[in-house]
Amino acid sequence: MTGVAIRATDIAKQFGKVTALDHATFEVPRGIVFGFLGPNGAGKTTVIRTLLGLLRLDGGEGSVLGFDVATQSDSIRERTGALLEHDGLYKRLTAEQNLDFWGRVWRIPRAERRRRMETLLTRLGLWERRKDAVAEWSRGMKQKLAVARTLLHRPELVFLDEPTAGLDPVAAAALRDDLEHLASEEGVTVFLTTHNLAEAERLCARIGIINKGRVVALGTPAELRDAVGSASIIIRGPSITPAHVAMLRTRAGIVNLTLLEDGVQLVLAPNATVTPLVRALIEHGAEIEEVRRERPTLERTFLDLIADDGHAGAAT
Amino acid sequence: MITDTLTILRKEWLEFRDQLLRLRRGGISLIVIVLLLGVLTPLQFGPDWLSSWIVMFYFPTLASSMASALIVDAIAGERERQTLESLLASRLPDSAILFGKMLAALSYGSAFVAVNALVACLTLNIAHPDKAPLFFQARFGTLLAILTLAACLAQTGIGVFISLRSKTVRQAQQTFGIIMLVIFLAPALVFQLLPPERRFSIIATVRGWGMEQIALLAALVLGSIGISAAMFAWARFRRGKLALD
C-alpha cells in the first residue's frame, strides 16, 4: 500500500498559557510502523488526540487516511483503533464481555466477532482466562487485552500509546512481532509512542522526535543517527597510555577523545580518517589489537536532540 | 444510531449488574428492598395496597433513586475509571453514548420497580387467594407507570448534567444530594413565604383535586425537569469538551 496515512502541517494546540503543539509538521506513510518519541509532556498524546478529533486544533491542518481532522473526524475514528494512555477496559466485566462489547461497537458480525476474539485471546495467551473479571488481572494481562481490543476490528491505522509498557519481555517481544506483521503483511499503519528506544529502533521504519510541541527530527532510525551523532572510533590496545593520548590530542581532525581502560575512544571531524592516527600510535610504541567504528545508538541521538532543543516538556 | 445506543445500554446493564452481584452488600440491599416493598408492605396493607397513594409515591421514588445511581456511575464513574476517553476515540456518535447511558438508567429504574410491583401482586394473590386475581387497575397502573418514568427521567437528566461536571462518582453524588435537597425544600420554603390567604387558597385547590390529577401534575413537572436537564446535558456532551475535561 502506498500513500500518506497521516499528514500534519503546522498543527498547533494551546491549553491556556501552555503551548502543547507548536506548529508541528510531519507525515506518516501508509503501511509502516511509525515511532513517535519524546520526553514526558512533549505533546505526543496531544498529537494523537488531535488526529482522532478528540481535541480541536488551534492552527494548522491535519489529515488521517485522507480525512480532514477538523471536519471528518467521524470517518477517521471509523477506520482507526486507539490504545491511549489508559487501557479503556471495563474492569467489572470479563475479558470476553469486554471484547464482545468492543466488537459490537465496531459492528462486527457475531460469528466473526467470536472467531476474532478467540484468535486474539489465544495469540496473547489469555483464552483460558476469558471468563475472569478484568479487575482480577495483572497490569501486563490488562495491557495485552487492551491491545486485543484495539486490533479487534482490523483497523487501517492504529494509534498505540506505549503499548509494551507493563508487559513482560516475552509478551513485549510477541507484541512487537505482531505489530511488524500487521504493517508488513496486512498493510496496517502503526503510529506508536514509546519510551523504549531500543524497541523503536528495532520496530519503526520511520521515527519522529517531538519536544515542547515541535517535531525536532524526522526520518529513518539510520538517517536520524547519521544526521545527529558522529560515529566514534574505538582503538583497543592494553599498552595505550596517557602519553599516547596526549600525543593524539596534538593531531588534527579529532573532535573528542577519551582514554578507556584498554584503549581510546575518538570522535573524528567530518572528512578525517583514522589510519594516520593508528599509524602514529604504532610509531609511538603502542600495540593495537582492534580498531572499530561504533555508530551512535538511537538513544544517544535522541538525548542529543532533546539536549540541543532544551529538555523541558509542555503538555501531556 | 439505534444499534449503537443499544450497545451502550447493554454494556451499562452488564456493568451495573456485575457490580451489584460482585458486591455482597449491593446484592443484599436489592433483596432487602424487594422484601420490603414487594412482600412486607403489601402484606401489611392488604389488597388496598394496589390502589394506595403510598404506591404512587414509593415506586417512582424507588425507580428514580435506582436511575440516579446508575447514571452517575455511567458518566462520572466512566470518567473516574478512565474508560471514557477510549469510548470517545471509537466510532460511536456522541448521541449514542449519551442516550445509551440515559436509556440504561431509565430502563434499570423502571425494571426494578416492575419487578417489585410483580412481586407485590404475587404476594397479595398468595396471601388473599379468596380475592384473587389481584392486580393494579388499568387506569391506576398506567398513571403509576407514567409517574415512574417521569421521575426516572427527571433524576436521569439531572444526573447526566451533574455527572458531566464531576470528576468522580463521589463528587457527583454529593452534588446530586444537595440539588435534590434544594428541589424538595425550595417549594416548601416558597410556600411558607406566601401570604396566609394565598396558602389557604392553594390548599383548598389541591384538596379539590383527586390523586390522579396530582399524579399527572407531578409527572408533568418531573418530565419537564428531566427533558430540560437532558437538553442542557446534550448541549454539553461533546467529544472535544469531554476529552479536554
Side-chain angles (χ1 to χ4, degrees), chain A residues 258-296:
Chain A
T258 313
L259 178 64
L260 305 175
E261 204 173 300
D262 58 346
V264 285
Q265 182 170 12
L266 313 167
V267 176
L268 300 181
N271 304 323
T273 58
V274 73
T275 316
L277 302 174
V278 173
R279 190 179 297 129
L281 280 170
I282 294 168
E283 283 170 1
H284 283 79
E287 290 175 18
I288 308 295
E289 289 180 349
E290 182 190 16
V291 177
R292 177 161 51 90
R293 176 181 288 270
E294 199 164 70
R295 301 188 74 183

Side-chain angles (χ1 to χ4, degrees), chain A residues 83-103:
Chain A
L83 169 53
L84 304 173
E85 257 178 315
H86 305 291
D87 56 34
L89 299 172
Y90 295 96
K91 309 292 188 292
R92 297 170 193 159
L93 304 185
T94 65
E96 198 171 42
Q97 287 170 330
N98 263 284
L99 289 189
D100 186 68
F101 165 67
W102 287 106

Side-chain angles (χ1 to χ4, degrees), chain B residues 29-92:
Chain B
S29 63
L30 283 186
I31 294 169
V32 169
I33 293 172
V34 174
L35 280 175
L36 273 175
L37 291 182
V39 180
L40 289 178
T41 325
L43 279 178
Q44 213 171 18
F45 274 74
D48 288 346
W49 169 251
L50 294 173
S51 56
S52 164
W53 63 269
I54 294 174
V55 173
M56 203 61 90
F57 174 77
Y58 265 8
F59 279 1
T61 308
L62 175 67
S64 58
S65 61
M66 297 299 288
S68 68
L70 192 139
I71 197 70
V72 163
D73 185 78
I75 295 179
E78 182 112 34
R79 188 202 302 275
E80 188 179 353
R81 293 187 291 275
Q82 296 167 330
T83 47
L84 186 61
E85 195 176 34
S86 298
L87 208 53
L88 298 176
S90 75
R91 54 162 293 284
L92 291 174

Side-chain angles (χ1 to χ4, degrees), chain B residues 22-227:
Chain B
R22 276 170 215 286
L23 292 172
R24 185 177 289 182
R25 269 189 312 175
I28 289 173
S29 63
L30 283 186
I31 294 169
V32 169
I33 293 172
V34 174
L35 280 175
L36 273 175
L37 291 182
V39 180
L40 289 178
T41 325
L43 279 178
Q44 213 171 18
F45 274 74
D48 288 346
W49 169 251
L50 294 173
S51 56
S52 164
W53 63 269
I54 294 174
V55 173
M56 203 61 90
F57 174 77
Y58 265 8
F59 279 1
T61 308
L62 175 67
S64 58
S65 61
M66 297 299 288
S68 68
L70 192 139
I71 197 70
V72 163
D73 185 78
I75 295 179
E78 182 112 34
R79 188 202 302 275
E80 188 179 353
R81 293 187 291 275
Q82 296 167 330
T83 47
L84 186 61
E85 195 176 34
S86 298
L87 208 53
L88 298 176
S90 75
R91 54 162 293 284
L92 291 174
D94 293 348
S95 50
I97 298 174
L98 178 66
F99 293 132
K101 286 174 183 293
M102 288 185 70
L103 204 56
L106 276 172
S107 58
Y108 198 81
S110 310
F112 190 65
V113 158
V115 168
N116 269 286
L118 286 175
V119 172
C121 289
L122 198 67
T123 304
L124 287 170
N125 278 288
I126 292 169
H128 303 277
D130 49 318
K131 294 179 181 170
L134 289 165
F135 200 70
F136 294 104
Q137 285 184 350
R139 200 177 172 85
F140 185 91
T142 309
L143 207 58
L144 182 63
I146 291 171
L147 188 59
T148 300
L149 279 173
C152 281
L153 184 63
Q155 292 269 38
T156 304
I158 295 168
V160 172
F161 193 63
I162 292 168
S163 301
L164 285 176
R165 293 169 171 271
S166 308
K167 285 182 180 165
T168 61
V169 172
R170 184 182 288 261
Q171 191 187 345
Q173 283 169 338
Q174 284 168 348
T175 315
F176 208 98
I178 292 167
I179 289 181
M180 283 299 116
L181 207 63
V182 170
I183 288 175
F184 278 105
L185 286 183
L189 285 172
V190 170
F191 185 75
Q192 288 298 319
L193 292 173
L194 294 172
E197 61 274 19
R198 185 83 184 123
R199 271 187 274 161
F200 290 135
S201 96
I202 291 173
I203 290 168
T205 310
V206 173
R207 271 189 183 159
W209 292 351
M211 191 173 67
E212 285 183 12
Q213 278 171 296
I214 295 173
L216 273 175
L217 181 69
L220 194 69
V221 171
L222 289 171
S224 307
I225 291 174
I227 290 169

Side-chain angles (χ1 to χ4, degrees), chain A residues 30-302:
Chain A
R30 279 184 189 252
I32 67 159
V33 181
F34 179 84
F36 209 45
L37 314 181
N40 291 333
K44 302 186 292 290
T45 306
T46 305
V47 165
I48 295 180
R49 285 176 176 161
T50 54
L51 293 175
L52 282 168
L54 300 182
L55 293 176
R56 205 166 47 187
L57 285 172
D58 292 332
E61 289 176 351
S63 69
V64 176
L65 302 171
F67 298 100
D68 184 72
V69 297
T71 57
Q72 295 172 300
S73 61
D74 289 350
S75 302
I76 293 171
R77 287 190 296 272
E78 189 89 37
R79 291 162 177 81
T80 55
L83 169 53
L84 304 173
E85 257 178 315
H86 305 291
D87 56 34
L89 299 172
Y90 295 96
K91 309 292 188 292
R92 297 170 193 159
L93 304 185
T94 65
E96 198 171 42
Q97 287 170 330
N98 263 284
L99 289 189
D100 186 68
F101 165 67
W102 287 106
R104 287 169 189 268
V105 165
W106 297 106
R107 302 246 179 110
I108 304 172
R110 187 185 167 86
E112 165 68 7
R113 202 161 67 221
R114 303 294 309 170
R115 264 199 308 276
R116 189 82 180 126
M117 277 162 60
E118 183 169 355
T119 306
L120 285 167
L121 289 177
T122 306
R123 192 193 297 169
L124 293 167
L126 300 173
W127 179 246
E128 301 300 320
R129 304 284 304 271
R130 68 188 183 281
K131 303 279 185 197
D132 294 351
V134 173
E136 296 162 13
W137 283 14
S138 69
R139 182 161 182 253
M141 288 168 74
K142 286 177 196 161
Q143 188 70 358
K144 284 188 205 177
L145 185 62
V147 171
R149 165 183 79 71
T150 311
L151 301 177
L152 187 67
H153 57 296
R154 301 180 191 277
E156 288 175 53
L157 165 68
V158 285
F159 292 99
L160 300 172
D161 202 351
E162 298 185 40
T164 52
L167 293 186
D168 59 70
V170 177
L175 177 60
R176 281 194 290 270
D177 288 345
D178 281 346
L179 295 179
E180 259 180 336
H181 176 85
L182 273 175
S184 61
E185 303 299 319
E186 298 183 30
V188 174
T189 309
V190 181
F191 186 99
L192 176 87
T193 74
T194 179
H195 284 128
N196 184 339
L197 298 171
E199 176 177 277
E201 189 161 20
R202 200 191 135 236
L203 191 60
C204 301
R206 286 182 75 76
I207 284 172
I209 296 178
I210 185 169
N211 192 32
K212 292 194 282 188
R214 286 184 297 116
V215 176
V216 295
L218 198 62
T220 65
E223 284 169 352
L224 293 183
R225 280 193 306 258
D226 293 345
V228 179
S230 307
S232 64
I233 310 288
I234 307 279
I235 303 175
R236 296 208 178 276
S239 61
I240 295 175
T241 63
H244 292 116
V245 172
M247 179 275 292
L248 287 174
R249 285 193 199 282
T250 64
R251 315 283 295 202
I254 298 175
V255 174
N256 194 11
L257 193 154
T258 313
L259 178 64
L260 305 175
E261 204 173 300
D262 58 346
V264 285
Q265 182 170 12
L266 313 167
V267 176
L268 300 181
N271 304 323
T273 58
V274 73
T275 316
L277 302 174
V278 173
R279 190 179 297 129
L281 280 170
I282 294 168
E283 283 170 1
H284 283 79
E287 290 175 18
I288 308 295
E289 289 180 349
E290 182 190 16
V291 177
R292 177 161 51 90
R293 176 181 288 270
E294 199 164 70
R295 301 188 74 183
T297 60
L298 185 61
E299 184 176 16
R300 186 71 259 158
T301 306
F302 174 79

